[in-house]
């Protein structure tokens, strides 16, 4: 790796671009009598994601999926994020809006190939955007899809191939390029209303698009789009009649009382207990008992107490199934002819989004972390206890440990307000035979995260042991009505965090035809780019002191400055053979540099058949959350090898120890190296008839030097853990696993490979219109991670990788099958979405003892939509998502949702109706 100051990097990049350009310039400036450039065929003006060279068709050596506006509309999805998360190439690490209690709650992202949102580059009109203010899992910086105006989207191009040679860092798994309108005249008003079959989750949405001026006739075009929407919350409790979706009590389906969304129980023998609305306290003999009897429990829960009199209740009933959302977006573009050869363009965008997510009430015990280390509020000197003189203490003079769910404080509520802005100005045109484009981009986000219902650790301990605060003692359970508002204001202050990200980018690029080859024009593109990105997240109030119970610490600040230069060439050496290549050099200020190449080949032995393949190298530079200032204390799910050896609970342990929630404390590492990748694709494009297209592509990505938190398993094995004091048989070091300490490291290597199939067929039905069919299938054959100690873990077909957001699993197959019938003024579309089943284990080496079987079943939904052009200028449309009202399979493993997998979210919500009208004039 090389190191350079920014000034040297910029100079080096510009020199490199100049050196690369010399041969092309020499050809372009040959004496007039030869003029080879005048004989070169002019390149057609089709821009394809993954290339800076305009070309004559969309089929390149790289696999690119083009999603039209009609394909988006037919699904009935309300946002571009919701649609993209239905793509078959999306996988583990995708961030849905329903994961509001995560580190990046309020954002939405796609994770191509399951390699995480940070390894998928998202572009808007071919250029980057400032990242979301909250990093996924406190580590992975990503682009928030929810800031993009849905009605301004023209199409989406998904490059399913490594693209660092074209775009630089982050494009390891691929690129999602969301392309908005470039020109528009007239006015369009669009309004829609959606509601679930249960009568909730109402969504009102409206937009207006207006444009004037024809570029060809008037020399300019200006248009703008304004879009606003409000979506009401759906709570888990609103699905009480939807089997396991609306309840935390899944005992009737074979699971025991220790499932993760059922609380209040006391374990057999009374050695441990979970948080109860009455309160569970541990007596002098080490046995827990409730603060109240069955009659008191009945005031909080319709469920019968457990055999040990624990007040069992469904704390998850407070939680949002989907959050409340309000947003407004604005987008405008102006294009102005400066001369016959040049035009200037300006784009401006703004969005404001407010999200409210409600979660379960806080407990008063547990473990979490902050930069000073782990905090153990469950046992030892830091345990939350009742004071000797507390009026609810059944053991006067003693200090019993307490397990209490603060229902009287209320649920934990997270409110995000995110403001996003983007400004782009540029000039493009033709100069000396070169198509040139020069632009400056500024983009930024400003996010405010406010939270209510969280508990202040020291204040809680004071209110339970001394009662000297303005509100006196905190009375619990059935006695909570005696508390004052002053007490609640004291123990549960409103907390907040602020985040800001900024991106400034200047780029210049040019492309042209140099000369003709037997197969067509030899095309070349040159470019240089300077980019500066800053991110800053302040910690949640008091978390830097470890004072918010159960809330992990996350804070970071840093700046990245990078200069880059690149060259690309396309050589149709024969009519049937096209070669392509690109190389890019990126140099980071005070950091590493990277040179990333890419080569491709497309061979067409028949007019109807093309064979293609690519090899690409890529990289992802450490982001400030990983290598800057700050730190992270988060939660994950892990098997405790002490209390659950080999996947079976030890005597005296619980099944929950086999999937224990664990606090993981991680520190940044400035010595991190960039992640590296090598990707390969090989495939074919077959068009046996003018109405049939079949593409089949095999792909493989090897990502090395991965930046990860040291695995939870490794930290546990090394003994860097915090445990409770509920020992197994009195043996030291066998208490409930609470926390582990880790660091960011370059450790693993992941190999992912599979096959993508895309089939499209259209039929002309004469007087009965036109029928179009399409199918997309993604098959993952390997998702193997090699740990630093050399052993490998296979995640395909399992619930892993649970180090990725949500712990949604890695199904082997995802299939989308669509059909659209167009007849006169109407069209009718249907889309079936299939997600294969997975084994209920975290990786392929584990055994399974799930009570209802060792497999999470496959899940299929069908969406129906229709459009009718009532008269010229007026279109009525409607859709039904999850037409058959399929219920998502029971998933007790994921922490991203209550008893269902986030991939199956439509099966949690149920049937959803949308109707609307579009008026164009």
């Amino acid at each position: 790796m090389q190191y350079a100051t920014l000034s040297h990097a910029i100079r080096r990049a510009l020199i490199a671009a100049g050196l690369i350009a010399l041969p092309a310039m020499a050809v372009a400036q040959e004496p007039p009598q030869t003029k080879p450039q005048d004989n070169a065929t002019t390149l057609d003006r089709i821009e394809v994601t993954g290339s800076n060279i305009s070309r004559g068709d969309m089929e390149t050596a790289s696999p690119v999926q083009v999603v039209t506006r009609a394909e988006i509309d037919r699904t009935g999805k309300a946002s571009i994020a919701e649609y993209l998360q239905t793509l078959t190439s999306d996988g583990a690490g995708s961030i849905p809006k329903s994961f509001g209690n995560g580190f990046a709650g309020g954002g939405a992202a796609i994770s191509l190939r399951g390699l995480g949102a940070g390894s998928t580059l998202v572009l808007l009109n071919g250029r980057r955007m400032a990242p979301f203010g909250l990093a996924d899992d406190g580590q992975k910086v990503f682009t928030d899809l929810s800031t993009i105006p849905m009605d301004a989207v023209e199409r989406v191009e998904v490059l399913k191939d490594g693209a660092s040679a074209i775009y630089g860092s982050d494009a390891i798994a691929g690129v999602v390029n969301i392309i908005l309108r470039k020109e528009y005249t007239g006015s369009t008003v669009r309004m829609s209303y959606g509601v679930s079959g249960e009568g909730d989750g109402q969504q009102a949405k409206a937009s207006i698009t207006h444009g004037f001026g024809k570029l060809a006739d008037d020399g300019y075009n200006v248009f703008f789009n304004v879009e606003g929407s409000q979506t009401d919350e759906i709570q888990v409790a609103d699905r009480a009649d939807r089997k396991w979706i609306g309840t935390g009590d899944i005992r009737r389906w074979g699971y025991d009382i220790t499932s993760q969304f059922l609380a209040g129980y006391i374990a057999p023998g009374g050695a441990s207990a979970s948080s109860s609305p009455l309160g569970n306290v541990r007596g002098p003999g080490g046995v827990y008992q409730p603060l109240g009897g069955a009659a008191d429990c009945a005031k909080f829960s319709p469920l019968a107490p457990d055999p040990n009199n624990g007040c069992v209740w469904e704390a998850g009933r407070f939680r949002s199934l989907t959050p409340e959302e309000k947003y407004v977006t604005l987008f405008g573009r102006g294009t102005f002819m400066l001369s016959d050869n040049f035009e200037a363009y300006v784009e401006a965008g703004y969005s404001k989004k407010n999200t409210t997510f409600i979660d379960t009430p806080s407990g008063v015990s547990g473990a979490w972390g902050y930069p000073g280390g782990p905090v153990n509020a469950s046992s030892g000197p830091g345990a939350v206890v009742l004071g000797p003189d507390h009026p609810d203490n059944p053991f006067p003079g003693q200090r019993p440990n307490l397990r209490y769910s603060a229902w009287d404080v209320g649920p934990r509520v997270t409110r995000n307000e995110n403001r996003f802005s983007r400004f782009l100005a540029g000039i493009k045109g033709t100069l000396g035979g070169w198509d040139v484009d020069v632009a400056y981009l500024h983009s930024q986000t400003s996010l405010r995260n406010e939270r209510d219902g969280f508990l202040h650790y020291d204040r809680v301990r004071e209110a339970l042991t001394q009662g000297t605060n303005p509100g006196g003692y905190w009375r619990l359970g059935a006695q909570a009505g005696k508390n004052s508002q002053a007490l609640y204001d004291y123990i549960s202050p409103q907390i907040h965090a602020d985040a800001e990200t900024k991106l400034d980018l200047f780029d210049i690029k040019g492309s042209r035809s140099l000369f003709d080859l037997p197969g067509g024009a030899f095309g070349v593109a040159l470019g240089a780019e300077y980019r500066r990105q800053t991110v800053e997240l302040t910690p949640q109030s008091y978390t830097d002191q470890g004072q918010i119970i159960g809330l992990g610490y996350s804070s970071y600040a840093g700046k990245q400055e990078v200069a880059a230069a690149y060259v690309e060439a396309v050589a149709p050496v024969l009519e049937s053979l096209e070669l392509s290549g690109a190389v890019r050099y990126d140099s980071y200020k005070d950091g590493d540099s990277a040179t990333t190449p890419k080569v491709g080949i497309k061979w067409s032995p028949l007019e109807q058949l093309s064979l293609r393949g690519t090899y690409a190298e890529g990289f992802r530079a450490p982001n400030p959350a990983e290598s800057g200032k700050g730190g992270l204390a988060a939660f994950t799910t892990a098997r405790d090898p002490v209390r659950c050896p080999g996947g079976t609970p030890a005597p005296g342990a619980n099944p929950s120890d086999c999937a224990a929630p664990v606090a993981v404390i991680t520190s940044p590492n400035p010595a991190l190296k960039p992640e590296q990748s090598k990707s390969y694709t090989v495939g074919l494009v077959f068009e046996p008839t003018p109405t049939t297209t079949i593409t089949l592509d095999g792909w493989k990505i090897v990502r090395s030097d991965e930046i990860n938190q040291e695995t939870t398993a490794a930290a546990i094995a090394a003994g860097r853990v915090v445990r409770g004091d509920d020992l197994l048989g009195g043996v030291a070091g066998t208490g409930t696993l609470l926390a582990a300490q880790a660091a960011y490291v370059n450790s693993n290597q992941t190999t992912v490979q599979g096959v993508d199939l895309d089939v499209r067929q259209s039929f002309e039905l004469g007087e009965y219109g036109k029928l179009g069919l399409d199918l997309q299938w993604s098959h993952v054959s390997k998702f193997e991670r090699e740990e630093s100690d050399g052993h490998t873990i296979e995640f395909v077909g399992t619930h892993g990788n649970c180090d990725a957001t949500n712990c949604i699993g890695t199904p082997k197959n995802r299939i989308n099958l669509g059909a659209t019938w167009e007849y006169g003024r109407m069209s009718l579309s249907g889309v079936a979405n299939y997600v294969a089943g997975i084994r209920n284990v975290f990786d392929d080496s584990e055994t399974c003892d799930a009570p209802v079987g060792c497999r999470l079943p496959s899940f299929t939904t069908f969406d129906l939509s229709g459009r009718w052009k009532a008269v010229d200028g007026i279109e009525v449309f409607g859709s039904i998502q999850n037409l058959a009202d399929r219920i998502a399979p029971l998933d007790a493993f994921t922490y991203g949702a209550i008893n269902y997998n986030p991939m199956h979210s439509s099966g949690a919500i149920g049937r959803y109706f949308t109707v609307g009208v579009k008026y164009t004039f």
Side-chain angles (χ1 to χ4, degrees), residues 388-400:
D389 299 321
H390 192 288
D392 298 329
N393 189 346
F395 309 106
Q398 302 292 321
R399 299 172 64 87

Side-chain angles (χ1 to χ4, degrees), residues 76-77 194-202 234 239 241-242 321 859 861-864 879-888 904-914:
K77 301 301 182 185
V195 63
S196 76
E198 302 287 339
D200 53 16
Q202 294 92 336
I234 301 176
R239 294 297 180 270
D241 60 345
R242 200 168 177 78
L321 184 67
F859 185 59
T861 58
F862 183 76
D863 303 326
L864 181 68
S879 66
I880 307 175
Q881 297 181 59
N882 193 2
L883 178 68
D885 200 24
R886 296 285 308 281
I887 297 176
H904 308 151
S905 60
S906 62
I909 296 170
R911 191 180 290 119
Y912 194 89
F913 303 88
T914 302

Side-chain angles (χ1 to χ4, degrees), residues 9 16 103 132 139 143 232 297 304 322 325 329 333 466 544 587 595 605 617-618 630 683 687 690 742 809 812 874:
F103 272 99
F132 189 54
Q139 173 197 358
T143 301
D232 292 343
C297 180
T322 60
E325 289 186 336
T329 65
R333 178 182 170 95
Q466 300 176 35
D544 56 337
S587 180
T595 300
E617 296 181 8
E687 297 178 329
K812 290 184 178 180
I874 297 180

Side-chain angles (χ1 to χ4, degrees), residues 557-583:
K559 178 171 65 174
Q560 287 182 332
E561 293 184 73
V562 58
Y566 55 86
V567 61
E568 180 187 358
V570 174
V573 294
L574 300 171
E575 288 187 6
S576 61
L577 182 63
E578 177 184 282
L579 305 179
S580 58
V583 62

Side-chain angles (χ1 to χ4, degrees), residues 472-819:
Y473 279 110
W474 181 12
R475 304 300 300 274
L476 306 177
Q479 305 301 318
K482 299 176 181 179
N483 295 322
S484 67
Q485 186 60 46
L487 171 73
Y488 292 129
D489 293 341
Y490 176 69
I491 64 174
S492 181
Q494 186 180 83
I495 59 177
H496 72 273
D498 294 297
E500 185 174 73
T501 70
K502 293 182 180 180
L503 172 67
D504 289 280
L505 181 149
F506 174 80
D507 64 4
I508 178 171
K509 56 187 176 182
S511 64
R512 67 161 296 153
S513 306
L514 290 184
F515 48 83
D516 281 345
L517 293 172
F522 178 89
V524 65
L526 308 173
E529 175 186 304
Y530 166 74
R531 186 173 75 249
R532 179 177 63 195
Q533 180 172 291
T534 61
V535 300
E536 181 178 10
L537 171 66
T538 64
Q540 285 284 344
S541 311
Y542 310 113
T543 59
D544 56 337
Q545 305 160 32
Q547 286 296 318
I548 300 300
I549 294 176
L551 183 59
Y553 168 87
S554 180
S555 176
Y556 46 81
K559 178 171 65 174
Q560 287 182 332
E561 293 184 73
V562 58
Y566 55 86
V567 61
E568 180 187 358
V570 174
V573 294
L574 300 171
E575 288 187 6
S576 61
L577 182 63
E578 177 184 282
L579 305 179
S580 58
V583 62
R584 177 176 171 124
Y585 174 77
D586 290 81
S587 180
Y588 286 78
K589 181 180 180 181
D590 301 325
D592 292 318
S593 299
T595 300
T596 47
K598 181 174 183 176
V599 293
I601 182 172
K602 185 175 77 168
W603 177 46
S604 304
L606 303 173
E607 182 179 354
Q608 299 86 2
L609 176 66
S610 295
L611 306 179
R612 62 189 183 185
T614 63
Y615 166 78
E617 296 181 8
F619 75 102
R620 183 181 76 85
N623 66 59
E626 298 163 329
S627 62
K629 300 177 181 179
L632 167 69
F635 288 86
T636 189
T637 302
R639 180 172 61 83
D640 185 347
V642 173
R643 298 175 67 90
C644 185
T648 302
N654 299 312
S656 59
D657 292 312
C658 300
V662 181
V664 181
I665 303 154
T666 310
S667 300
N669 181 359
L672 288 172
K673 298 182 295 182
E675 294 182 343
Q676 305 288 334
S677 71
K678 294 181 179 181
S679 62
Y680 313 81
T681 67
V682 59
L684 60 85
V685 180
F686 183 44
E687 297 178 329
T689 74
T691 60
T692 307
T693 301
I694 302 171
T695 63
L696 179 66
D697 292 283
W699 52 269
K700 178 180 180 179
I701 302 172
V702 180
R703 185 174 65 181
S704 57
D705 287 331
E706 291 181 324
I707 301 172
N708 294 303
Q709 296 174 358
E710 184 181 15
T711 65
T712 307
I716 295 171
R720 298 191 301 274
V721 298
V722 175
R723 292 185 176 274
D725 57 4
D726 52 338
L727 307 180
L728 300 178
V731 178
T734 61
T736 297
L737 183 63
L738 300 174
Q741 290 183 295
Y744 289 120
V745 292
N746 291 106
S747 58
N748 307 326
Q749 174 176 297
T750 294
T751 301
V752 190
Q753 67 182 41
V755 176
D756 290 334
L757 174 68
D758 192 312
V759 180
R760 297 174 186 270
Q761 174 70 59
S762 62
F763 300 94
E764 294 292 341
L765 304 179
E767 62 180 312
Y768 297 106
K770 180 179 179 181
L771 176 65
L773 303 175
D774 62 274
L775 177 144
Q776 295 82 43
W777 168 54
S778 290
H779 172 74
V780 182
S781 59
K782 176 186 283 189
F783 199 121
E784 182 182 83
R785 187 171 73 190
E786 181 179 339
E787 303 287 350
S788 55
D789 61 4
H791 84 278
T792 60
I793 302 173
E794 178 60 70
F795 294 116
V796 164
T798 75
H799 224 302
N801 170 15
C802 283
D803 292 331
T805 290
N806 285 318
C807 188
I808 65 175
T810 307
K812 290 184 178 180
N813 297 292
R814 292 188 66 169
I815 300 173
N816 292 340
L817 175 63

Side-chain angles (χ1 to χ4, degrees), residues 110-183:
I110 183 174
S111 171
L112 294 177
R113 309 304 189 196
L115 289 175
S119 290
T120 298
L121 180 62
V122 175
L123 305 175
L124 184 63
N125 287 343
R127 288 183 170 90
R128 295 174 181 250
M129 299 186 292
F132 189 54
L134 303 175
D136 177 34
D137 286 336
Q139 173 197 358
K140 308 172 189 75
V141 174
F142 68 94
T143 301
D144 179 21
L145 295 170
S146 64
T147 62
I148 297 171
M150 177 75 162
D151 284 351
V153 174
E154 182 177 276
R155 69 182 187 277
V156 178
E157 294 179 359
V158 182
L159 175 64
K160 303 177 183 180
D161 189 11
S164 288
I166 304 296
Y167 299 111
S169 178
D170 307 332
I172 286 178
V175 178
V176 176
N177 187 13
I178 300 167
I179 300 170
L180 307 185
R181 301 174 189 267
K182 297 292 180 64
E183 184 177 350

